[in-house]
Amino acid sequence: MSLSSIIKNIPKTELHLHIEGSLTPELMWRLAEKHSVTLPYASVEEIAAAYNFKDLQSFLDLYYAGAGVLKDEDDFFSLMWAYLVKCHEENIVHTEIMFDPQTHTERGIGFDIFMPGFLRAMKKAQDEFGTSSYLIMSFLRHLSEENAFETLEAAAPYYANIQAVGLDSSELGHPPSKFERVFKKAKSMGFKIVAHAGEEGPAEYIWEAIKLLEVDRIDHGVRCQEDESLMRYLKDKQVPLTVCPLSNLKLCVIDNMKQHNILTLLRYGLLVTVNSDDPTYFGGFLNDNYHALCEALPITGEDIKTLAKNSFTASFLPEEVKQTFIAQIDDI
Ligand code: HPA
Ligand code: ZN
């Protein structure tokens, strides 16, 4: 089987996806018209053309501005539904989706607006496609820990719908240690824990996420290679890394996909997975990320299968569900 048929046909999970980062220029345009929001662009094409980033912050500035068109429950439904249709097309059978409540609550849009919209789309995808999905509530690390505590409290009516708590936004200068107490609280409440670390920040931030936040997964983590003892730890404990190749390229974490270290990390024995991060901003959904790796690196069909199996192992699915899908991949 060709690499592209393997990519297309194997069941996969996606574990690192920001729902606000799946807003297409077309939907942004439509919602801007619907709500009479003035965008600094003259057309859908101009929106897409603006997606040239020099680093994480230059992306985040546009990403937060883009989310400004999301106002009512239907908007959040449309956003989530469009992503889940894409999952169905790409044979993503399960997805663990991050959302940034503070991006909306700061604009006066509360949990009772976005959560029902998200949940309605997730139920429809489960019913119509059999696609399962979990939610990861992510705190914005450029805001205070107190604000994260308030967000955790505001989510109370929806705790049963949220599987994990995460940490995203501007990494440099906002280390995991800033959020040690709120993550301790979230952990004690039974949430799984993830955190972005080692994307632009140093290997030390990955250690902090492990030791202080007690993460179940690291989002990105590609800078782990700078610390040999960290590499050994990640291998021994099989701490999953949710790697996002096109994101790393678009945000200039690497200059060229040929420089991407995912294959090196995989060969070393780390539990690495492939993900799209913010697909409409970074030029590709999940399968495009697999394709981009295949074009740049000497990846085999077995590697693709291992990466897809890792995506189940690293997920928060029940063990027996993981094993069923892993067995299906082994049979391909
Ligand atoms: N890094 C940090 N914060 C983010 C990202 C990312 O890649 N995408 C959306 N928020
Ligand atoms: Zn991310």
Side-chain angles (χ1 to χ4, degrees), residues 123-171:
K123 176 164 188 326
K124 187 172 157 77
Q126 179 74 63
D127 292 346
E128 293 187 16
F129 308 140
T131 308
S132 75
S133 50
Y134 292 165
L135 284 175
I136 303 173
M137 175 167 74
S138 291
F139 299 132
L140 300 182
R141 67 203 305 158
H142 65 274
L143 301 179
S144 67
E145 186 181 44
E146 194 187 344
N147 201 319
F149 267 115
E150 285 162 14
T151 304
L152 183 60
E153 216 156 275
Y158 298 98
Y159 285 159
N161 305 110
I162 296 170
Q163 274 68 27
V165 167
L167 186 65
D168 62 8
S169 191
S170 322
E171 187 179 9

Side-chain angles (χ1 to χ4, degrees), residues 18 56 59-60 63 168-169 196 199 220 247 251 277-278:
H18 303 264
L56 175 59
F59 153 68
L60 290 170
Y63 161 88
D168 62 8
S169 191
H196 284 54
E199 177 186 18
H220 292 294
S247 164
L251 300 187
D277 207 3
D278 299 283

Side-chain angles (χ1 to χ4, degrees), residues 163-237:
Q163 274 68 27
V165 167
L167 186 65
D168 62 8
S169 191
S170 322
E171 187 179 9
L172 287 168
H174 303 285
S177 52
K178 179 177 164 187
F179 295 92
E180 188 177 351
R181 281 151 302 190
V182 74
F183 275 84
K184 200 159 252 115
K185 172 96 193 284
K187 184 133 192 144
S188 75
M189 293 164 75
F191 292 109
K192 298 279 190 190
I193 304 294
V194 300
H196 284 54
E199 177 186 18
E200 282 190 345
E204 182 54 30
Y205 284 21
I206 303 177
W207 274 126
E208 282 192 10
I210 291 167
K211 304 274 188 211
L212 304 180
L213 308 189
E214 300 183 60
V215 290
D216 295 284
R217 296 195 295 249
I218 294 286
D219 292 317
H220 292 294
V222 287
R223 286 190 60 186
C224 63
Q225 249 189 318
E226 294 166 15
D227 181 335
E228 180 57 34
S229 65
L230 176 61
M231 288 285 280
R232 278 196 301 273
Y233 182 94
L234 295 172
K235 179 180 175 175
D236 289 348
K237 304 282 183 200

